[in-house]
Amino acid sequence: MTAPAPKGRLLLVPTPLDHGCDTQTPLDAVLPAGTIQAAAALTHWISENAKSTRAFLKRVDALEPLAQPIQAQQITELPREVHKKGDHAGSTRFDARPLLAPALQGHDVGLISEAGMPAVADPGSSVVRAAHDLGITVLPLVGPVSLLLALAASGLNGQNFAFVGYLPQDAAARTQRVRELEALAHKTGQTQLFIETPYRNPAVWQALVQTLKPGTRLTVAQGLTLADGRVRSAAVSNWRQGSAAELDRAPAVFAIGA
Amino acid sequence: MTAPAPKGRLLLVPTPLDHGCDTQTPLDAVLPAGTIQAAAALTHWISENAKSTRAFLKRVDALEPLAQPIQAQQITELPREVHKKGDHAGSTRFDARPLLAPALQGHDVGLISEAGMPAVADPGSSVVRAAHDLGITVLPLVGPVSLLLALAASGLNGQNFAFVGYLPQDAAARTQRVRELEALAHKTGQTQLFIETPYRNPAVWQALVQTLKPGTRLTVAQGLTLADGRVRSAAVSNWRQGSAAELDRAPAVFAIGA
């Protein structure tokens, strides 16, 4: 009789925020050596998108030789419904335990999304939950998180804040939601962060400058950690002097504060 | 007539989460080379604590030679009332613009706290706000953020979450607040994160396991990114089988989820 093999761990592996578009910048501009070395040692992955995971591993390999060639890595994609509806869509909650079979067999497994930290404003928390339920150690690694970079750079209250996901797509519902978030920010002092898909940036900008009170502070952050990254934070009265054209067609983090 | 010198920038410089207690681990375990190089190039700082900033710079210097010796660095501490009351304490809001005089003269200035990301669950957002008001570019650098590492590692909803700071110290008020946060987590699906000073960990643990419903998920993360770091996430019914002794006397991040 031999003792059962020790379980592997679940490593949460953050990736750059360039969505693979800026492969010129070396990974160590935004990832610690500790994160790069840990990623290079893995051979099993649970991924939002296998193609972008392979592209990431190619960049890792340039700095730290991979334990196994990319073709030999076992990369399992999260099912599409987890991307669309999120990991916590009530009755349809996804059971990710089968994905962690390699960890039960002793392999460390990496959880990875397309950009930033898995399971934060991104799919993956069902996998983390399954790891806890199976007694698998969860180890988060350091890397960029667009929400937190935006919050830190906003000058808004960082001691009480919320991230609320996406705004409603319907114009009237969106305006109503913006009013709710503004009221909450003023009443409780809690900074309210949200994101949008880039092609809606102009519509969201319009809704914000038209709906918010002149003295409310509004922050828009785009491309933080990238060469063309920027964050603007000002009273809404100042934003009204600009135009929606100031927002790039790139992912943006918005924040409303008192 | 010469053109005015271009303004310097405000760099937000994250630090390791060891509070200077683990100087054996090299900085690049948790900080990207990009962050270390940017910190080494600075000569002007706005700091939560000058002593810990000097200790951090010593660790930077071991990997990347500083632009100026530590004794020659200009380090200005944030006033104590900003530590105590936070940057956004209503009528007493701190005007940080005078601290940014070096940036107006063309020097890049680093904003730095004792551990983690400045201005997130830490002082400094008044300085960031002042930078925006003065037209100074704000550049957040990548590093560890204890709240976000805890959230990612919790398996709780990362697409809708709030950080609410500290719980009330009074026992009855604390219980009431825990009930409110649990109700909010169940009603809206929003994960609720908070922190406590380490010596209150046993009292908070008691309040949580006694007050929360058996099926509510509770996460406690301590020392993430450190050698003895760990995160536990389970239904409250499971936590009740343990004891408060499972929590180290170390800073903890707590999270409540549906």
Side-chain angles (χ1 to χ4, degrees), chain B residues 179-258:
Chain B
R179 286 216 178 90
E180 278 172 20
L181 294 175
E182 180 181 43
L184 201 55
H186 282 288
K187 188 180 158 203
T188 65
Q190 187 175 65
T191 301
Q192 302 291 317
L193 296 121
F194 52 93
I195 51 177
E196 251 318 330
T197 43
Y199 73 89
R200 286 205 196 92
N201 283 349
V204 171
W205 188 88
Q206 284 292 345
L208 289 168
V209 297
Q210 285 171 7
T211 308
L212 295 171
K213 299 189 173 102
T216 296
R217 303 275 301 197
L218 171 64
T219 297
V220 184
Q222 295 189 284
L224 291 181
T225 73
L226 309 184
D228 59 351
R230 56 184 183 155
V231 56
R232 186 174 164 197
S233 188
V236 169
S237 53
N238 286 79
W239 280 98
R240 284 186 183 153
Q241 294 159 24
S243 82
E246 290 178 49
L247 270 64
D248 294 329
R249 289 272 168 137
V253 179
F254 300 86
I256 296 171

Side-chain angles (χ1 to χ4, degrees), chain A residues 80-257:
Chain A
R80 295 227 35 101
E81 66 262 34
V82 177
H83 299 209
K84 290 247 172 197
K85 297 183 190 168
D87 297 61
H88 294 280
S91 60
T92 62
R93 182 171 283 165
F94 172 63
D95 180 1
R97 284 176 296 181
L99 296 178
L100 288 164
L104 295 179
Q105 290 153 17
H107 299 284
D108 282 348
V109 174
L111 178 66
I112 187 165
S113 69
E114 291 214 66
M117 190 74 173
V120 174
D122 248 342
S125 61
S126 57
V127 180
V128 179
R129 177 178 297 222
H132 286 294
D133 290 347
L134 292 168
I136 292 167
T137 297
V138 177
L139 185 67
L141 302 175
V142 176
V145 186
S146 60
L147 292 180
L148 261 280
L149 293 165
L151 175 67
S154 71
L156 303 178
N157 191 353
Q159 314 215 358
N160 187 3
F161 64 89
F163 169 66
V164 300
Y166 293 85
L167 298 187
Q169 294 177 33
D170 170 72
R174 178 160 53 208
T175 299
Q176 178 57 31
R177 182 69 171 142
V178 168
R179 286 216 177 90
E180 278 172 21
L181 295 175
E182 181 182 42
L184 202 55
H186 282 288
K187 188 180 159 204
T188 64
Q190 188 176 64
T191 302
Q192 302 292 317
L193 296 120
F194 52 93
I195 50 177
E196 252 316 333
T197 43
Y199 72 89
R200 286 203 196 95
N201 282 350
V204 171
W205 188 88
Q206 283 291 344
L208 289 169
V209 297
Q210 285 171 7
T211 307
L212 295 170
K213 298 189 174 101
T216 296
R217 303 274 303 197
L218 171 64
T219 297
V220 184
Q222 295 190 283
L224 291 181
T225 73
L226 310 184
D228 59 351
R230 56 185 183 153
V231 54
R232 188 177 163 196
S233 189
V236 169
S237 54
N238 285 79
W239 280 99
R240 285 185 183 155
Q241 294 159 24
S243 83
E246 290 176 48
L247 271 62
D248 294 331
R249 288 276 168 132
V253 179
F254 299 86
I256 295 171

Side-chain angles (χ1 to χ4, degrees), chain A residues 12 28-34 88 119-122 125 128-129 132-133 142-144 148 152-153 155-156 158-163 217 233 258, chain B residues 12 28-30 32-34 88 119-122 125 128-129 132-133 142-144 148 152-153 155-156 158-163 217 233 258:
Chain A
L12 313 185
D28 61 3
V30 292
L31 292 181
H88 294 280
V120 174
D122 248 342
S125 61
V128 179
R129 177 178 297 222
H132 286 294
D133 290 347
V142 176
L148 261 280
L156 303 178
Q159 314 215 358
N160 187 3
F161 64 89
F163 169 66
R217 303 274 303 197
S233 189
Chain B
L12 313 184
D28 61 3
V30 291
H88 295 280
V120 174
D122 248 341
S125 62
V128 180
R129 178 178 295 222
H132 286 294
D133 289 347
V142 176
L148 262 280
L156 303 178
Q159 315 216 358
N160 187 3
F161 63 89
F163 169 66
R217 303 275 301 197
S233 188

Side-chain angles (χ1 to χ4, degrees), chain B residues 4-96:
Chain B
K7 286 174 194 162
R9 302 165 299 172
L10 179 67
L11 277 67
L12 313 184
V13 181
T15 53
L17 301 178
D18 57 32
H19 289 80
C21 298
D22 176 21
T23 50
Q24 300 309 305
T25 305
L27 283 184
D28 61 3
V30 291
L31 293 181
T35 297
I36 295 168
Q37 287 156 9
L42 293 171
T43 53
H44 290 71
W45 297 88
I46 300 170
S47 159
E48 187 180 4
N49 180 299
K51 191 179 163 204
S52 55
T53 298
R54 281 189 288 266
F56 170 72
L57 288 172
K58 198 174 160 192
R59 294 169 76 183
V60 171
D61 195 36
L63 293 172
E64 185 81 25
L66 301 181
Q68 246 176 39
I70 292 173
Q71 316 81 274
Q73 300 261 342
Q74 186 190 304
I75 304 176
T76 307
E77 283 192 356
L78 283 168
R80 294 224 39 98
E81 67 262 32
V82 176
H83 299 210
K84 291 245 171 199
K85 296 184 190 168
D87 298 62
H88 295 280
S91 60
T92 62
R93 180 170 284 166
F94 173 62
D95 181 1

